Amino acid sequence: MVLVEEVPEEVLLREGERDSEFETDSVAASDDLLSDDEDEDFSLEDETFYDRVVALKDIVPPQTRSAIAANVEGAKGWVSWGFQKTGAIAWIVSTSALLVGLPLALAIEDETRITQQEREMQAQSAGQQQLLGGGQQPQGVLPPGF
């Protein structure tokens, strides 16, 4: 069975001891941690872009990282909102064009076809009258453009 015992703070922080385990008394202590073998194994060419970005985690303070993450999330939200609204507008425009524009285009094409048939019929009747009666002018009032 495990016995849990509370250790008072005064015992942990005795006079002369460091307040943090990350503080060092001299540069020599940190030099002992790095050996020459590690320096020889490290190659700048083998380091990837991802490794460099991950290493920035130790350099950038947590408050700055959280602010950057919040800004990126906000920008991602705005971009997502923009794409959704653009898609909705594109849907409205395309369906409106199909529902209004397509029947209009078909009606214009049909009207053009009917007008062309009328011209052909008038040309045929004018040709028949010239063959039968000579050079008589067609009777009746013709609208402009016919």
Side-chain angles (χ1 to χ4, degrees):
M1 180 175 231
V2 177
L3 178 64
V4 178
E5 182 179 330
E6 183 178 348
V7 179
E9 192 172 326
E10 295 85 30
V11 174
L12 292 175
L13 296 175
R14 293 187 191 133
E15 291 218 30
E17 289 188 7
R18 296 181 293 268
D19 289 340
S20 172
E21 62 185 44
F22 298 109
E23 294 179 5
T24 59
D25 291 332
S26 66
V27 178
S30 64
D31 288 343
D32 291 340
L33 296 175
L34 298 175
S35 67
D36 292 337
D37 294 337
E38 291 176 0
D39 292 339
E40 291 173 4
D41 293 340
F42 178 73
S43 173
L44 189 59
E45 291 82 21
D46 293 338
E47 187 177 28
T48 63
F49 181 73
Y50 177 75
D51 293 335
R52 289 184 181 209
V53 171
V54 169
L56 287 175
K57 181 179 178 185
D58 298 332
I59 296 171
V60 178
Q63 297 87 4
T64 307
R65 286 194 313 246
S66 64
I68 290 171
N71 287 339
V72 167
E73 288 297 319
K76 188 170 70 170
W78 279 106
V79 168
S80 174
W81 177 84
F83 277 125
Q84 287 175 350
K85 295 303 176 189
T86 302
I89 290 171
W91 173 257
I92 290 169
V93 168
S94 63
T95 54
S96 297
L98 287 174
L99 292 175
V100 174
L102 186 62
L104 179 65
L106 292 175
I108 291 172
E109 181 184 356
D110 191 38
E111 184 68 28
T112 306
R113 184 180 50 82
I114 291 172
T115 308
Q116 183 66 28
Q117 285 178 348
E118 287 177 356
R119 285 184 187 162
E120 290 174 2
M121 289 176 61
Q122 286 178 353
Q124 285 177 355
S125 65
Q128 287 177 356
Q129 286 182 2
Q130 284 181 354
L131 288 176
L132 294 177
Q136 295 180 349
Q137 294 290 333
Q139 296 180 352
V141 178
L142 290 177
F146 289 103

